[in-house]
Amino acid sequence: MTQFSRLAVLMRPIRREMLMGLALAVLASLANFGLLFLSGWLLAAAAVAGLGGIVAQNAFNIFLPAVGVRFFATVRILARYLERVVTHDATLRFIGRVRAWSFESLIPQAPAVLARQRSGDMLFRFVSDTDRMGQFYLEVMLPFAVAAICCAAYVVVTGLFSVSAALVLATSLLLCGTIIPLIAAKLSACATAQISLQQDIMHADLTEILQGMGEFMFLGAAGSVQEHIARQQTNIRVCRQKVLLLEGGARFLITLIGTLSAVAMLALATHAYHAGTLSAACLPMLALGGLAAFDVVGPLPAAWQLLGHVRVAAQRVFAVCDQPPCVPLPAVTASPVQPLDLCFCNLGMRYPEANYWALRHANLLIRQGEHVALVGPSGAGKSTLINLLFRFYDYQEGTASFGNVDLKNVDADTMSQHVGIVAQDFHLFLGSIRRNLMIARSNATEDEMWRALKIAQLAEFVRAEPAGLDTLVGEEGICLSGGQARRLAIAQVVLRAPAWIILDEPTEGLDAQTEQDLMAALLAALPPQATIMCITHNRKVAGLMDRIVRVAEGRFYEVGRAP
Amino acid sequence: MSVKVMMQSSGNKTLAGFTRRISFWLGASVLLGGVAAVLLVLQLTVFAQIVAGLAFQHHSLADEIPALKWLVFFLVTRALLQWAADMVAAQGSLRLISNLRSELLQHLFNVGPVGMAGHATGATVTALDAGLEGLEPYFTQYMPRAAMMVVLPFMILATVLHLDGWSFLILACTGPLIPVFMALVGYRAQAIMDRQWTQLLLLGSSFLDALQGMTSLRLLGRARDAVAAVADMADEYRCTTMSVMKVAFLTSAVLEFFASLSIALVAVVFGARLLEGKADFQSAFLVLLLAPEYFMPLRAFSASYHARQNATAAMAGISKLFALPAMAARHENQLLAETLVSVKCENLSAEYEANRPVLSNINCTFARGTLSLITGESGAGKTTLVRLLLGLLSPVTGRIVAEDAHGIAHRDWQSNIGWVPQRPCLVHGTVAENLRMASPQADIASLRNVARQADALSFIESLPQGFDTLIGERGTCLSGGQVQRLALARVLLRKPQILILDEPTAHLDPESERRVATAIAHVATHCIVIVIAHRGAIITHAQQVLRVHKGQVFSGPHLLEHAA
C-alpha cells in the first residue's frame, strides 16, 4: 500500500479542500437519507394519528416534521451542488500537483529516461497515468469514505429503533459495499489488466502506423497492419465484455440484496411491533430508510475497479520517477571560470547497458574562441560530447574539465549558462514562435528576437507570415518545414548569446545558398571570444572552421588546422 | 480505393448516423429496460401493499407470504432484465466502435500522408484511440437513458394519477420543467465549452509537450522554471475547466431542486391529508416510493449528459479526420507483370492552395536503368514532384504516364514504386520483422540477398543476434546510415520497378554515404531510380540531374556543379 501512502503525501497541501469536499458529500448523502426516512415516518405517523380520532389528530404536531422534511430537501440541493464544485476543484488541483511533482523528479533523468522505452508510448502513458492518479480522490477515496461514514450513521439511526434491523442493514451494506465488489474486481482483474496492456500496445502501434503511413503503403503492408489493429481490437472487446458482464452481475446482486434487506428489516420491525416495542409509524420509516441506505454503496463496485487501476498507474509513475538520475548531482556545484577551455584527458565513457565504450583513451583540448568542426562516422561518439558536457551521462575513466573546473562538479543548469546547444533532436514547444524564443530567454526584447531570427535566416519568413512572431509552430513544429524548425532552434540559442555554441548538423535540410548565408551570419554575429563547435558531415561547413577534429573508434584525432 | 470503402465513407458520419447503425441493439436495450420499468412499478406497488398491510391492517408476516413471493419474482426479473438491457447496449456500442476504428484507419490510408500532413500524429492517435472510446458512454448510457426518460416517468405519472390527484399535479408540473431548465443551463454550458475548447485542448496537451521537450529545457537551462510553468498551466487548466463545470453542475442542481421539492411536497401534503383522514396510507406510501423513481431516469440522464458533451467534443476530431478527402490514385497491393521502361511527366502542374502553383508545366522522363537525381533549393518543389510521382498528390493539370517496352501505358503503376523517405520508419521489432513488412512470407535467404544488395548484410551480421536483434522505435540503436541501408533492403524485398529515395545520404558520414550511394547505383542498373539529394557521393553516380527551381525543372549535366 506504499503507493497510497505516497499519494497521501502528495495530497497534504490540498487536504483542507479535500476534507471540505468529503464533508459536503457526507452531508448530501445524510440529507437524502433523512429526507426519505423522515418522510416515511411523517406519512405513517400522520396516518396513525388520522385513524386515532380527533384527540390524536390534535395532539399530533405536523409542523415540526414538515419543517424537517423541507430542511433536509434544501440541504440536499445545496450540499450536492457545492460538493460537486469543491471535489472537482480539489481533483484538478491534485492532478496539477501530481504532474508538477512528477515532472520535477523526471528532469534530472532526461534524456536517459526517454531513451529507455518506446518514447511516444511512455510519455502518453505517463500523461494518462498521472491523470488517473489524480482521479484517486474523486473516484476512489470519496465514495469509500462517504459510504463508510454514512453507512455507520444509517446503522446507528436504525439501531435507535431496532437493533436487529440495524444488524441486518449492517450485514447487507457490508456485503454490497465490500464483499461483492471485491469478488467482482478479483474475477475481472485479469481481463482488466489485459485491457490496459492491449490498449497501450495499440496506442504505440497506431502511432507507428500513422508516422510511417506512406512507407507502409508502398511496402504493400497497409492491409496487414489494418488486420493487425483489427485483431487487437477483437482481443480488447472480448475482455471488455467480460468486465461488463461481471459489473452487471455485481449491480444485479446489490439491487437484489438491497430490496431483500429492506424486507427483512420490515419483518423484524413487524415482530417488534407485535411485541409492542415499536410503533406502527416506525415500520414504513425503517423500510424506506433501508432502501435509501443503499444509494451510497452503488458507486462502490466502480470504485473498487478503479482502485486497481490507480494502483497500477501509481506504481508505473513512481517507478519511473524514482529512478536515480544517470549522473548524481555534485555535492558542491563549482562555477567554470575564464578562459572556458574544454579538456578531456584519457577519457573513457560507456552508456549504461551498452557493451562497448563510446569513448576510450580520448584526449581533446578546445580553447575558448576556437572554431572547431567535429566530423566522423555516425555513432562514433560526436553526440556523446554533448551528453558529457551537460552531465546527462557520466564518464568512467580519465578526467574532463571545463573552464578549469572538473566536470564532476558541475550540473546541467550551470553548463547551460555557458554553453548553447542546437541538438539534432531539438523540440519546439506548443504555441507561437514568440513563446519558443521566450523559453530560450524569458527577458528577450522584440528587437533581440528579430535579430536572432535574422541571424538564423528566418526573419524573412516570419515577417511574411500574417501573425509575425505570433505564428503558431504547431505540435513538434509541424507548421514549419524541417529546415525552418531547425533555424528556429538556432535562433533560440543565438538569443541566449552563450560563450560556447555547439551545433549538431546545423544546416541539415537547407539548400546550399541558405546554408552559406546562415553560417556567414552566425560567424559574423558572434563575439570573437565565442567558441563554436560544429558537428557536421558537410565538408563546406567544416571548411568554415579553424580546426577539424575527427572522432573515430572512441578517440579524437586532429585532422587539420586552417591556415 | 475499393468500392466498399467508398460506400462506407459516404455514410453518415455523425452521432445520429452512428446511432442509426446500432439501432437494433439500442432498440432491444430500450425494450428490455422498458419491461424492467413496468416490473419496477409493480414491485413498488406490492412493497407498499405489504408495508401498509403490516403496519395498519394488523397482518402477520404469514399473511403477506403470497405478496412477498410476487415481490421477489418482480425484483429478480426486473434486475435480470436491467442487466440484460445494459449488456445489449454495451455489445452494440463495442461493435460499433471497433468498426469505426477500422473504417477510420482505412480512410486515413486512403487520405495518405500528404492529406494528413497538417495533422499532428499525437492528435490523430488520440482521436483514433481515446476519441473513439469517448463515444462509448454516449451509446451505452446517454442513448438508453434518454429513451428511458420518456418511458418510466410517464408510466409513474399514470400510476400516480390512478392513486392521487394532488400528487399527480405536483409531479406533472415539476417534471416537464426539468428538461426546460436543463436545456437552458446545458445550452449555456455548451456555449462556454465551445468558447474555451481550444484553450482547454492547448492546456490539456501542455503537460505532454513539456515532457517531450524535457531535454531541450535542460539544454536551455530552463528546467527549473518549467516546473513552475507546468504547475501554472495545470492551475490555468483547472480554472478554465471549473468555469465550464460550475455551469454544468447547475444542470444537476436544477434537477436536485425539483426532485427534493417534489418529495418534500408529496410528504407534507399527504401528511396533512392523512392526518385529516382524507387519504389512505398505502397510496401515500406508494407515491412516496414512486416519487424518487420518477426523477431517477432524469437524474441518470443528467449524470450521463457529460457523456454527450464528451462525445460531441470527440466527434469534432473524428469527423474532421473522416472529412479529409481521399487521394485519387489507387495503391493496390498487386505488382504489374509487365516491365515498365519509363515514367514521363507531361505538362505537370501542382498547387496546395488555389492559384499558388508550386510546380508549373513540368516535363521530364525517368528511364529504366538510369539513376536520376532531383536537386534544388529547399521549398523549390522537389518534395511536391515526388508526391506527384508517388500519387499522394493529384496534379492540377497534366499527367504522368508509365509505359512498358511496347509503349503501352499502364494504370495503377504506382503500386510498383518502392519509396524510402528521409527518415525511414522502423517498427519496434527484430531486423527480420522489419524487413518482412515488405513481404511477410520472405525466407531468410531472400532477406540476406536484399541485405547484401543494400550493403546492410555485414552490419546486420555483426549485431548481437543478427537478423533476430531487436531494434527500437525509429531504429534507436542503429546509426543513421544503418537505418537507411536497412530501409533500402526492405524496399528491395518487394522488387519494385521504380525506386524513389528522399535524401538517402543526409545525416551520413562520408564512409556510410559512399556505401549507400554505391548500393543505390547498383540497384539503378535494373530499375527506374529517382533520388532527391543536395550533395555528396550520390551525385557522381547520377546519369540524369534535374534541378527544380521556382516551380520549373531544368535538366543537364552542367547543373551538377551547383548541386555539388
Side-chain angles (χ1 to χ4, degrees), chain B residues 474-487:
Chain B
R474 297 238 148 201
T476 35
C477 59
L478 298 179
S479 76
Q482 292 171 339
V483 171
Q484 275 293 344
R485 281 181 277 163
L486 202 58

mmCIF file of all heavy atoms in Angstrom, chain B residues 474-487:
data_model
loop_
_atom_site.group_PDB
_atom_site.id
_atom_site.type_symbol
_atom_site.label_atom_id
_atom_site.label_comp_id
_atom_site.label_asym_id
_atom_site.label_seq_id
_atom_site.Cartn_x
_atom_site.Cartn_y
_atom_site.Cartn_z
ATOM 1 N N ARG B 474 11.967 3.762 -34.329
ATOM 2 C CA ARG B 474 12.788 4.588 -35.216
ATOM 3 C C ARG B 474 14.237 4.110 -35.231
ATOM 4 O O ARG B 474 15.154 4.882 -35.487
ATOM 5 C CB ARG B 474 12.741 6.058 -34.811
ATOM 6 C CG ARG B 474 11.374 6.648 -34.929
ATOM 7 C CD ARG B 474 11.338 7.835 -35.851
ATOM 8 N NE ARG B 474 10.037 7.892 -36.514
ATOM 9 C CZ ARG B 474 9.825 8.528 -37.634
ATOM 10 N NH1 ARG B 474 10.790 9.153 -38.245
ATOM 11 N NH2 ARG B 474 8.633 8.541 -38.171
ATOM 12 N N GLY B 475 14.447 2.819 -34.931
ATOM 13 C CA GLY B 475 15.790 2.273 -35.013
ATOM 14 C C GLY B 475 16.785 2.936 -34.102
ATOM 15 O O GLY B 475 17.877 3.293 -34.515
ATOM 16 N N THR B 476 16.411 3.126 -32.832
ATOM 17 C CA THR B 476 17.231 3.930 -31.930
ATOM 18 C C THR B 476 18.640 3.395 -31.730
ATOM 19 O O THR B 476 19.541 4.167 -31.494
ATOM 20 C CB THR B 476 16.571 4.106 -30.566
ATOM 21 O OG1 THR B 476 15.877 2.918 -30.260
ATOM 22 C CG2 THR B 476 15.662 5.297 -30.553
ATOM 23 N N CYS B 477 18.837 2.069 -31.800
ATOM 24 C CA CYS B 477 20.191 1.611 -31.541
ATOM 25 C C CYS B 477 20.988 1.414 -32.829
ATOM 26 O O CYS B 477 22.046 0.829 -32.814
ATOM 27 C CB CYS B 477 20.205 0.365 -30.657
ATOM 28 S SG CYS B 477 19.330 -1.007 -31.359
ATOM 29 N N LEU B 478 20.466 1.922 -33.941
ATOM 30 C CA LEU B 478 21.221 1.868 -35.187
ATOM 31 C C LEU B 478 21.642 3.283 -35.561
ATOM 32 O O LEU B 478 20.989 4.254 -35.204
ATOM 33 C CB LEU B 478 20.347 1.292 -36.311
ATOM 34 C CG LEU B 478 19.834 -0.130 -36.131
ATOM 35 C CD1 LEU B 478 18.977 -0.516 -37.311
ATOM 36 C CD2 LEU B 478 20.975 -1.102 -35.969
ATOM 37 N N SER B 479 22.731 3.375 -36.327
ATOM 38 C CA SER B 479 23.150 4.703 -36.776
ATOM 39 C C SER B 479 22.295 5.105 -37.975
ATOM 40 O O SER B 479 21.600 4.283 -38.567
ATOM 41 C CB SER B 479 24.616 4.673 -37.161
ATOM 42 O OG SER B 479 24.754 4.036 -38.415
ATOM 43 N N GLY B 480 22.370 6.380 -38.339
ATOM 44 C CA GLY B 480 21.572 6.886 -39.451
ATOM 45 C C GLY B 480 21.817 6.129 -40.746
ATOM 46 O O GLY B 480 20.888 5.793 -41.470
ATOM 47 N N GLY B 481 23.100 5.837 -41.013
ATOM 48 C CA GLY B 481 23.429 5.130 -42.241
ATOM 49 C C GLY B 481 22.883 3.717 -42.234
ATOM 50 O O GLY B 481 22.401 3.211 -43.258
ATOM 51 N N GLN B 482 22.940 3.088 -41.068
ATOM 52 C CA GLN B 482 22.418 1.712 -40.958
ATOM 53 C C GLN B 482 20.921 1.692 -41.175
ATOM 54 O O GLN B 482 20.392 0.805 -41.845
ATOM 55 C CB GLN B 482 22.790 1.140 -39.586
ATOM 56 C CG GLN B 482 24.294 0.908 -39.454
ATOM 57 C CD GLN B 482 24.704 0.562 -38.045
ATOM 58 O OE1 GLN B 482 24.001 0.851 -37.079
ATOM 59 N NE2 GLN B 482 25.854 -0.072 -37.923
ATOM 60 N N VAL B 483 20.220 2.695 -40.615
ATOM 61 C CA VAL B 483 18.773 2.770 -40.801
ATOM 62 C C VAL B 483 18.451 2.914 -42.284
ATOM 63 O O VAL B 483 17.575 2.226 -42.821
ATOM 64 C CB VAL B 483 18.182 3.956 -39.996
ATOM 65 C CG1 VAL B 483 16.720 4.172 -40.356
ATOM 66 C CG2 VAL B 483 18.327 3.729 -38.510
ATOM 67 N N GLN B 484 19.198 3.790 -42.973
ATOM 68 C CA GLN B 484 18.961 3.996 -44.399
ATOM 69 C C GLN B 484 19.171 2.702 -45.185
ATOM 70 O O GLN B 484 18.378 2.364 -46.058
ATOM 71 C CB GLN B 484 19.931 5.064 -44.950
ATOM 72 C CG GLN B 484 19.441 6.484 -44.773
ATOM 73 C CD GLN B 484 18.219 6.809 -45.611
ATOM 74 O OE1 GLN B 484 17.883 6.096 -46.543
ATOM 75 N NE2 GLN B 484 17.541 7.886 -45.250
ATOM 76 N N ARG B 485 20.239 2.008 -44.885
ATOM 77 C CA ARG B 485 20.533 0.791 -45.649
ATOM 78 C C ARG B 485 19.512 -0.306 -45.352
ATOM 79 O O ARG B 485 19.121 -1.054 -46.224
ATOM 80 C CB ARG B 485 21.955 0.315 -45.341
ATOM 81 C CG ARG B 485 22.999 1.138 -46.117
ATOM 82 C CD ARG B 485 24.397 0.679 -45.851
ATOM 83 N NE ARG B 485 24.914 1.283 -44.618
ATOM 84 C CZ ARG B 485 25.978 0.806 -43.968
ATOM 85 N NH1 ARG B 485 26.597 -0.268 -44.401
ATOM 86 N NH2 ARG B 485 26.396 1.410 -42.870
ATOM 87 N N LEU B 486 19.065 -0.335 -44.097
ATOM 88 C CA LEU B 486 18.034 -1.321 -43.738
ATOM 89 C C LEU B 486 16.733 -1.011 -44.480
ATOM 90 O O LEU B 486 16.057 -1.905 -44.999
ATOM 91 C CB LEU B 486 17.804 -1.282 -42.223
ATOM 92 C CG LEU B 486 17.204 -2.520 -41.584
ATOM 93 C CD1 LEU B 486 18.083 -3.720 -41.857
ATOM 94 C CD2 LEU B 486 17.047 -2.319 -40.085
ATOM 95 N N ALA B 487 16.392 0.281 -44.541
ATOM 96 C CA ALA B 487 15.171 0.676 -45.233
ATOM 97 C C ALA B 487 15.281 0.368 -46.724
ATOM 98 O O ALA B 487 14.310 -0.033 -47.367
ATOM 99 C CB ALA B 487 14.912 2.161 -45.025
#
